[in-house]
Amino acid sequence: MSQTLVNPYLDGNFAPVQKEITAENLQVIGELPPELSGMFVRNGPNPQYSPIGEYHWFDGDGMLHGVRISEGKAVYRNRYVQTQKWQAEHDAGKAILTGLLEPPQADHPHISRNAANTALVWHGGQLLAVWEAGAPHTIQMPELKTIGEHTYNGKLKSAFTAHPKVDPITGEMVFFGYSFMPPYLQYGIVSAAGELLSTVPIEIPAPVMMHDFAITENYTIFMDLPVTIRPERMQQGKPMIMFESDRPSRFGILPRHGDNSNIRWFESPACYVFHTLNAYEQGDEVVLIACRMSSTSVLGFSGIDDPDANIPRLHQWRFNLNTGAMSESRLDDHAGEFPRVNENFLGRQTRYGYVNKSAPTPVPLFEGVMKYDFHNGTSQINLFGQGRYGGESVFAPRPQATAEDDGWLMTFVHDETANTSELLVLNAQDITAEPVARVLIPQRVPYGFHAAWVTEKQLQGF
């Protein structure tokens, strides 16, 4: 008797939740510090209806899960990002569009596939839900209500990365968009006030999946890595998106306000990077820290003969802008992803970084969080506990803090045994201590992608 295989990303705590709720006066184990005031919001895929065909984790409709913290109390709400896709399927009462692993559909050409399900960024006085193949969506805070697509008064003509970078000193937001049609890469800058100032094409030899990038005080770093997008492969029965192990990895460095004429490229052996931790300048060198995989099959393509495939570990690259020399070194043997820093120091040299520790499971789960001290070359690990898995750990700085790590790490944790979810709040200066607080959530929070901490000042419009 044949058994139907269940898609792991539609099962257990990857499965979607159907209800949008608001819950006040949440139970808190421990104590929420009175000075911790703002809103933790996390994005992630949550299909509104049973998907058509084969489902990939990246396909699901965006859903925001937020915990508003004020005066030691917490309120939870979850809301769909009401994209054009969400609305069309909501009106139809069923799924209409297929996902990444299915052949392109000829019908419904006018419905955008933008699921707005990947990450969040606060910029220009508003929260944006972002997805790398389309425009951001503006989210009303703290209600998590979708206002609509944000195209910068029609000036946004390219895709928009899921990982834009906001310079904490200038307030500028730097972004890029990639495409499988020329120009394959476009680079843009938004002013602190939220005006799109410029978009310039950057030449790369072939279309590639470019998920993240990095900035320093004066430079932008692009990663032309060998996950190529070639529609012609589909005619040969091969995947459109594939890791090409015989192609080098290329890192392009250009001045923040530069263009294709002054980008410099450095080559290294084939690898893939989904997420960067930070980058900074040191003398003649630009230093990049990121989670590196030797290869990846994350979009379902296989045929990679690499026992280390899909295992991300923290690495450092050094690019000498004077001599053209480049070096690459592994910083840790532990596997980990979703790296973060105190974003008040983004693009500058930080002493500390925070990375979620990967669990040895067939699907990507995080069993703890690691804090790196780059000055001392040491790390601390907080394990969430047996059967407990977390999401991205975001740094929330203490108001008026003077030390870089004075603040809290926050993440959603799910207990698979009890089938309960909570917001975990750790003291970032001692992550191995007992949690500062555990905020119990009255419904399951599925595993998802990226999160943001929006401060009280930002919420109040200061």
Side-chain angles (χ1 to χ4, degrees):
M1 192 172 163
S2 67
Q3 192 176 4
T4 306
L5 289 176
V6 177
N7 186 316
Y9 296 108
L10 295 170
D11 194 36
N13 196 47
F14 285 98
V17 292
Q18 303 304 334
K19 285 186 180 172
E20 295 177 314
I21 69 167
T22 302
E24 301 187 359
N25 290 317
L26 301 181
Q27 185 184 343
V28 178
I29 298 170
E31 195 174 331
L32 287 166
E35 64 271 44
L36 179 63
S37 196
M39 193 165 183
F40 174 87
V41 190
R42 202 217 64 209
N43 204 346
N46 194 95
Q48 186 182 187
Y49 298 107
S50 294
I52 304 170
E54 197 175 348
Y55 174 75
H56 191 284
W57 197 26
F58 296 173
D59 291 335
D61 298 293
M63 180 177 273
L64 307 178
H65 298 263
V67 179
R68 172 79 166 98
I69 296 171
S70 179
E71 297 177 349
K73 292 185 167 50
V75 177
Y76 165 81
R77 53 172 61 84
N78 66 306
R79 299 290 186 271
Y80 278 107
V81 185
Q82 295 188 3
T83 62
Q84 186 187 31
K85 170 188 182 295
W86 180 92
Q87 192 64 57
E89 295 186 333
H90 186 74
D91 292 346
K94 63 179 183 180
I96 294 174
L97 300 180
T98 54
L100 279 168
L101 301 178
E102 294 291 325
Q105 282 170 291
D107 51 354
H108 311 299
H110 304 301
I111 304 174
S112 166
R113 292 172 180 275
N114 187 342
N117 67 7
T118 313
L120 297 153
V121 63
W122 181 272
H123 187 253
Q126 60 189 4
L127 186 70
L128 300 173
V130 281
W131 185 74
E132 66 198 49
H137 282 71
T138 309
I139 305 299
Q140 184 175 310
M141 294 287 280
E143 297 85 0
L144 302 183
K145 180 184 172 188
T146 306
I147 295 170
E149 278 200 349
H150 189 63
T151 62
Y152 295 93
N153 295 319
K155 287 186 180 178
L156 181 64
K157 301 297 186 187
S158 69
F160 191 98
T161 176
H163 294 289
K165 308 299 178 193
V166 178
D167 186 308
I169 307 301
T170 67
E172 289 173 316
M173 180 166 66
V174 185
F175 73 94
F176 69 90
Y178 68 85
S179 169
F180 61 86
M181 304 286 286
Y184 300 136
L185 177 62
Q186 297 199 67
Y187 168 51
I189 298 175
V190 180
S191 74
E195 183 190 354
L196 205 166
L197 300 177
S198 64
T199 307
V200 296
I202 303 292
E203 287 176 24
I204 55 175
V208 295
M209 188 174 87
M210 191 181 295
H211 185 66
D212 200 358
F213 73 134
I215 62 167
T216 69
E217 184 178 355
N218 296 295
Y219 297 98
T220 298
I221 306 166
F222 290 114
M223 300 182 291
D224 175 14
L225 307 179
V227 172
T228 58
I229 307 170
R230 301 188 191 271
E232 64 271 18
R233 266 198 295 251
M234 296 182 80
Q235 285 143 18
Q236 304 157 11
K238 294 179 181 173
M240 180 171 74
I241 303 175
M242 257 176 82
F243 184 85
E244 295 188 26
S245 53
D246 55 345
R247 282 174 63 91
S249 291
R250 302 193 325 139
F251 297 82
I253 300 177
L254 79 160
R256 169 85 55 89
H257 292 271
D259 57 29
N260 191 65
S261 66
N262 44 21
I263 192 167
R264 293 187 58 186
W265 291 99
F266 297 76
E267 281 194 9
S268 77
C271 69
Y272 197 71
V273 171
F274 273 102
H275 300 112
T276 63
L277 180 135
N278 198 16
Y280 57 91
E281 297 157 39
Q282 196 171 55
D284 291 334
E285 291 186 316
V286 167
V287 181
L288 170 68
I289 301 176
C291 294
R292 175 195 184 275
M293 302 172 172
S294 52
S295 59
T296 181
S297 60
V298 77
L299 285 174
F301 48 77
S302 53
I304 296 172
D305 182 19
D306 177 5
D308 269 350
N310 304 314
I311 301 175
R313 295 184 177 95
L314 206 61
H315 279 63
Q316 176 181 273
W317 291 260
R318 303 185 81 95
F319 309 97
N320 192 306
L321 299 180
N322 189 26
T323 66
M326 189 199 109
S327 66
E328 175 185 298
S329 58
R330 186 192 285 191
L331 298 181
D332 193 11
D333 290 336
H334 285 116
E337 253 293 1
F338 288 11
R340 298 294 291 250
V341 293
N342 177 344
E343 290 184 358
N344 289 334
F345 297 88
L346 192 73
R348 281 75 184 167
Q349 184 169 5
T350 56
R351 177 170 180 173
Y352 303 105
Y354 311 93
V355 179
N356 276 64
K357 184 177 186 296
S358 300
T361 49
V363 288
L365 294 175
F366 297 125
E367 63 184 6
V369 60
M370 303 181 282
K371 176 187 180 180
Y372 291 94
D373 182 330
F374 298 117
H375 286 197
N376 294 338
T378 57
S379 62
Q380 286 182 310
I381 301 176
N382 178 303
L383 295 174
F384 299 136
Q386 187 69 33
R388 288 165 55 86
Y389 300 103
E392 183 169 57
S393 300
V394 172
F395 184 88
R398 185 190 303 274
Q400 281 81 52
T402 52
E404 180 197 318
D405 64 344
D406 187 5
W408 301 272
L409 283 184
M410 310 173 76
T411 184
F412 283 127
V413 171
H414 182 72
D415 188 315
E416 302 231 320
T417 308
N419 197 25
T420 55
S421 298
E422 64 190 57
L423 177 68
L424 186 69
V425 182
L426 300 174
N427 174 3
Q429 293 188 310
D430 185 6
I431 68 164
T432 59
E434 280 295 303
V436 173
R438 296 168 54 202
V439 181
L440 306 188
I441 309 296
Q443 81 169 356
R444 187 170 61 78
V445 178
Y447 300 126
F449 297 143
H450 300 285
W453 171 249
V454 183
T455 67
E456 189 67 33
K457 277 188 168 181
Q458 289 168 333
L459 287 173
Q460 302 301 335
F462 295 124

